[in-house]
Amino acid sequence: MKGLCKLLKRRRTIVWKSACSLPVLLSAFLSVAASASPLNKEIIFAYPPQGYPPYIITADGDGPPTGIVADAFSQISRETGYKVVFRQYPDRRSQILLQRGKIDAIAFAREWVQSPDDYRWTKPLLEVADHLIFDSHRVIKHADIQSLRGKMIGTMVAFIYPSFENAFNTQSITRTDAPAFKNLFLMLKSGRVDAVLLDERVAGWYIAQSPDLRPDDFAIRKPGFDAVGYRIMMPTLTPLGWEGFIEKYDKKLDQWKSNGRLQALISRYAIKLKQATRDGEDGS
């Protein structure tokens, strides 16, 4: 996967210009040092108004977001002595603010940025990938790209699916775009498409939140395609950067992974889908 489309611009190639001189960098640092910086141990985390469930779930009122990424980052940061302040910004605005050092963190992946080394990155919280999801009564046997030739696949508008791009471009597999995640499942149930491509946790969340959808109506094929590590992206500040925080954060994250805390948090939000077995039958 390459990005978050309208939610997090996760599937578009993103080009962010770097500051061109030391004075510009110093100016950016001085303008934010009083509000959010490694000095006062406050981290401004930006997220889109729509969120990205179940990773970032926007609160109904004025409260902070919840979700796998929001909860984990906030709690781990607090355990390392930092406070996270959540702010809503449109996606492109967040990208500009991060580049300028006006905000401090965005949930992203290195693979979704053209010049990832221009930024600071934590270790991955978890892995995200595109999975083929079928109507449980119409599972395609041996569902690799070759066996999908001539089929119709539900996709999200403006999303890029690297493993499928050649097949989509040559139209050996027909791409059928939807404007929203729930539309993918409606297309699948109605038979308009033979399968959809979607991250398994996102799929489980939207199915669970929709009264007219049932988890048993769908089957997921594993492993997924184009897996990436979902991380926290932070700016490079001069003369003071976030390296010290990231080192502490990564150590604490390793502890969360080894003692089961991260998996327990993921389990609170993850809805398991029935797995399609290799011979095309539904598995448990």
Side-chain angles (χ1 to χ4, degrees), residues 146-194:
Q146 279 298 111
S147 64
L148 291 170
R149 292 176 67 86
K151 303 298 185 181
M152 300 184 70
I153 304 298
T155 53
M156 287 292 292
V157 172
F159 277 30
I160 295 173
Y161 304 85
S163 292
F164 287 80
E165 285 308 295
N166 183 61
F168 288 154
N169 291 336
T170 60
Q171 298 185 351
S172 62
I173 299 175
T174 301
R175 170 178 181 151
T176 304
D177 282 344
F181 290 124
K182 184 177 179 180
N183 293 80
L184 291 175
F185 300 104
L186 300 179
M187 290 162 54
L188 188 56
K189 284 187 66 177
S190 68
R192 286 184 57 201
V193 296
D194 299 291

Side-chain angles (χ1 to χ4, degrees), residues 40-91:
N40 63 15
K41 296 193 172 183
E42 182 178 276
I43 301 170
I44 296 179
F45 183 100
Y47 68 100
Q50 307 95 327
Y52 182 48
Y55 302 110
I56 301 174
I57 304 169
T58 303
D60 292 334
D62 296 329
T66 57
I68 297 170
V69 172
D71 289 0
F73 185 65
S74 179
Q75 293 174 33
I76 293 174
S77 297
R78 184 168 62 247
E79 291 177 12
T80 59
Y82 289 77
K83 176 184 177 182
V84 176
V85 177
F86 291 98
R87 301 266 178 85
Q88 283 188 14
Y89 292 107
D91 299 317

Side-chain angles (χ1 to χ4, degrees), residues 54 171 248 254 275:
Q171 298 185 351
K248 294 177 183 178
D254 286 340
Q275 185 168 346

Side-chain angles (χ1 to χ4, degrees), residues 114-135:
Q114 187 175 33
S115 301
D117 291 338
D118 290 344
Y119 302 90
R120 297 287 179 258
W121 300 87
T122 67
K123 289 183 177 180
L125 265 165
L126 39 69
E127 186 177 85
V128 296
D130 287 313
H131 289 81
L132 284 166
I133 300 173
F134 305 93
D135 183 300

Side-chain angles (χ1 to χ4, degrees), residues 214-235:
R214 299 187 310 139
D216 286 347
D217 290 339
F218 304 95
I220 187 169
R221 177 76 71 194
K222 293 184 178 181
F225 298 87
D226 306 311
V228 299
Y230 202 19
R231 310 167 186 259
I232 304 301
M233 178 182 180
M234 306 187 79

Side-chain angles (χ1 to χ4, degrees), residues 196-260:
V196 300
L197 278 168
L198 193 59
D199 174 74
E200 63 176 318
R201 298 185 191 93
V202 174
W205 175 266
Y206 277 92
I207 291 172
Q209 302 304 308
S210 303
D212 53 339
L213 301 177
R214 299 187 310 139
D216 286 347
D217 290 339
F218 304 95
I220 187 169
R221 177 76 71 194
K222 293 184 178 181
F225 298 87
D226 306 311
V228 299
Y230 202 19
R231 310 167 186 259
I232 304 301
M233 178 182 180
M234 306 187 79
T236 301
L237 299 177
T238 303
L240 181 63
W242 287 102
E243 293 87 345
F245 163 76
I246 290 175
E247 182 178 358
K248 294 177 183 178
Y249 173 91
D250 284 348
K251 288 181 179 179
K252 186 64 68 173
L253 177 59
D254 286 340
Q255 293 175 13
W256 273 49
K257 290 179 178 180
S258 63
N259 63 23

